[in-house]
Amino acid sequence: MTPEEQARAENLIASTLTHLPDYADPAAAEAAGFRSIRDGGTGYEHYINSEYRADGKVLDPDRPESLVYQVRGGQKELVAAMYMAEPGTTLDDTPPLGGALTQWHIHDNLCFTPEGQVAGLTDAEGRCSPPLVKFEPVPMIHVWIVPHPCGPFAALEGIAGGSIKPGEERLCDTAHGGH
């Protein structure tokens, strides 16, 4: 990792820690245009702002494309931003960020309602049963504002973990896990 990559990663963490608490209350997020994709059954619920998805701004803490809330006992705690690359971006052409500290991922196995809510997984051939649809996957990266055992850029695990670039190993930066 270069000093520039480390500086970019550290700056994104610092600015996310500063800006994200504005959305601590899901009602504030909804008032700002974020909508739940109804995936809270996984233990994490993502809220996406469609306006920010294709606004030409990537990795902008003032305009995070998605917010991640941990759901426990019916309560939602804001735990991360999920920054999404512009539509049409692939894992091969993601914006440079933090070198070995960061790892982009995609979700290529999710089926959505036409309104954009998660409603299932693809079949063995990677298809969704109508009326569910599969959207073109867009690379994304989490920035955790609470300590995560795999560091501030860790992806979720299990079914919700997404896919990483072929040939890469899933990042778990235990050295920075407590940020």
Side-chain angles (χ1 to χ4, degrees):
M1 155 180 47
T2 68
E4 293 81 17
E5 290 170 332
Q6 182 166 351
R8 278 195 302 265
E10 289 175 357
N11 287 338
L12 183 59
I13 293 168
S15 56
T16 300
L17 284 166
T18 299
H19 295 271
L20 211 61
D22 293 344
Y23 304 111
D25 182 350
E30 289 175 352
F34 289 89
R35 299 292 173 257
S36 173
I37 64 168
R38 305 275 185 231
D39 60 342
T42 66
Y44 293 93
E45 188 165 354
H46 292 73
Y47 282 63
I48 294 180
N49 188 314
S50 296
E51 180 184 331
Y52 296 170
R53 295 238 8 238
D55 64 0
K57 298 178 183 190
V58 179
L59 302 171
D60 183 348
D62 289 323
R63 297 175 69 84
E65 291 80 11
S66 179
L67 306 171
V68 183
Y69 294 86
Q70 186 169 22
V71 181
R72 286 186 286 212
Q75 299 297 314
K76 296 177 187 178
E77 175 190 4
L78 181 63
V79 294
M82 188 175 74
Y83 295 103
M84 301 169 76
E86 287 287 300
T89 304
T90 69
L91 287 172
D92 289 324
D93 59 3
T94 53
L97 182 54
L101 286 175
T102 59
Q103 186 171 55
W104 292 85
H105 67 279
I106 59 170
H107 291 278
D108 55 359
N109 67 336
L110 300 177
C111 296
F112 295 85
T113 66
E115 298 78 31
Q117 297 175 346
V118 172
L121 299 174
T122 57
D123 63 20
E125 286 79 38
R127 294 184 305 242
C128 296
S129 298
L132 302 182
V133 295
K134 179 180 172 184
F135 296 120
E136 186 66 31
V138 175
M140 54 196 74
I141 192 164
H142 291 93
V143 176
W144 294 85
I145 63 170
V146 298
H148 189 286
C150 285
F153 296 103
L156 292 173
E157 299 173 7
I159 291 174
S163 301
I164 58 176
K165 194 174 190 180
E168 286 186 355
E169 193 172 310
R170 188 167 297 278
L171 176 67
C172 184
D173 179 13
T174 56
H176 298 97
H179 66 135

